[in-house]
Amino acid sequence: GPMSARTPRPASRFVDDATVVSAAPLEVPSLSVAILIVGTHGDVLPFVSLAHALQAKGHRVRIATHAEHRKLVLSYGIEHYPLAGNPKLLSEWMVQTGGTLAGEMRYLHKSSAKLMMLDQIMRSLWPAVTAKDPFDFEARPFTADAIIANPPAMGHVHVAEALGCPLHMMFPQPWVPTRAFPHPMSGLPNDQPDSAANFRSYQIFEETIWLGNSGSINTWRRQDLGLPVIQIGTLGGNLTERFRVPFSFMWSPS
């Protein structure tokens, strides 16, 4: 019948188990899934449960995160790929700057080492979704059919574009624009009423990060990924929002 005659599905705050897609009832084939995580031990652990759930559905799962987390990932029976970067240093920098843009500006004199590490992490993302595990001589070839990433794994959207595969973002903090509260790294207070300033803080944060890293990102896109550069002034920091990349928030309804 016509679209208007269809009964709409009830709105739900929760995502259905999508083993079978209702619009096209075909079974999801076995996929190779790369989970890209930049962060501490605590950032990795929630994705272990997700990896096990995907494995139970017949998918091959690789968690790509810092080499310091390799033992943890392998101990849960999940494949690992080593990303560059030192999570201890990243955590120390976060504490030092207070995790805000204003704090980052106060410590600009130390930013060169941080930018270098972020560039190394970003460049390790492409082999993380396309290469064998370099520490396992019996490793099977790997090419991701789908990518799951947390926002600090800067470069996620670019490797997904290069592979032409789906990307799904996940994080335990708000990271998409809302009037309810500001971006967690904006430095704005969390206890204020809904506002346009809260909403704008997300775009301001993403564009600031993009402007600070656009040169290295574009060099990487051109040299490693074979992609065209993103022109300055085209909201390069908001690609996940512009491309409507799905985002799951890792918190309970309580």
Side-chain angles (χ1 to χ4, degrees):
M3 287 289 290
S4 58
R6 292 181 181 174
T7 303
R9 293 185 66 192
S12 172
R13 292 170 54 206
F14 307 106
V15 177
D16 294 331
D17 185 348
T19 302
V20 175
V21 181
S22 58
L26 301 172
E27 288 192 12
V28 176
S30 178
L31 303 174
S32 293
V33 181
I35 302 178
L36 311 177
I37 309 166
V38 169
T40 64
H41 178 279
D43 291 299
V44 175
L45 277 175
F47 289 94
V48 167
S49 298
L50 174 64
H52 282 164
L54 290 168
Q55 286 176 330
K57 293 182 180 297
H59 302 300
R60 179 184 177 189
V61 185
R62 157 187 285 187
I63 290 182
T65 187
H66 313 291
E68 286 81 353
H69 304 319
R70 182 175 180 86
K71 185 176 179 181
L72 169 73
V73 173
L74 294 179
S75 72
Y76 283 99
I78 303 162
E79 292 183 48
H80 175 261
Y81 188 92
L83 291 186
N86 183 326
K88 187 170 183 289
L89 264 180
L90 290 172
S91 182
E92 287 176 4
W93 282 329
M94 183 67 75
V95 171
Q96 190 177 65
T97 62
T100 67
L101 286 176
E104 293 284 348
M105 297 302 290
R106 282 198 301 271
Y107 286 91
L108 275 177
H109 60 288
K110 293 189 176 181
S111 65
S112 59
K114 185 174 185 179
L115 289 173
M116 186 180 298
M117 184 181 293
L118 292 177
D119 185 66
Q120 291 167 349
I121 292 171
M122 184 177 67
R123 287 179 178 273
S124 67
L125 292 181
W126 180 242
V129 298
T130 60
K132 291 182 180 181
D133 177 359
F135 296 154
D136 181 355
F137 296 114
E138 298 180 357
R140 291 181 290 153
F142 184 94
T143 302
D145 298 307
I147 297 171
I148 296 169
N150 70 351
M154 194 175 63
H156 42 66
V157 69
H158 306 287
V159 292
E161 180 185 354
L163 271 182
C165 76
L167 169 66
H168 193 118
M169 302 300 299
M170 300 186 78
F171 208 47
Q173 294 186 63
W175 214 267
V176 295
T178 173
R179 293 172 59 88
F181 27 72
H183 191 286
M185 295 186 70
S186 66
L188 296 175
N190 289 316
D191 55 356
Q192 300 301 304
D194 293 9
S195 70
N198 284 345
F199 192 91
R200 285 197 300 271
S201 69
Y202 293 82
Q203 184 171 344
I204 291 169
F205 172 81
E206 296 292 354
E207 284 304 307
T208 302
I209 296 300
W210 160 247
L211 288 173
N213 295 277
S214 58
S216 60
I217 291 173
N218 273 330
T219 299
W220 173 59
R221 281 176 62 90
R222 189 179 63 251
Q223 290 181 351
D224 292 15
L225 306 184
L227 295 173
V229 300
I230 299 170
Q231 298 301 319
I232 300 297
T234 55
L235 297 178
N238 287 274
L239 290 178
T240 53
E241 191 180 340
R242 284 170 58 199
F243 294 160
R244 301 178 65 84
V245 174
F247 204 124
S248 293
F249 297 102
M250 305 169 76
W251 57 63
S252 70
S254 60

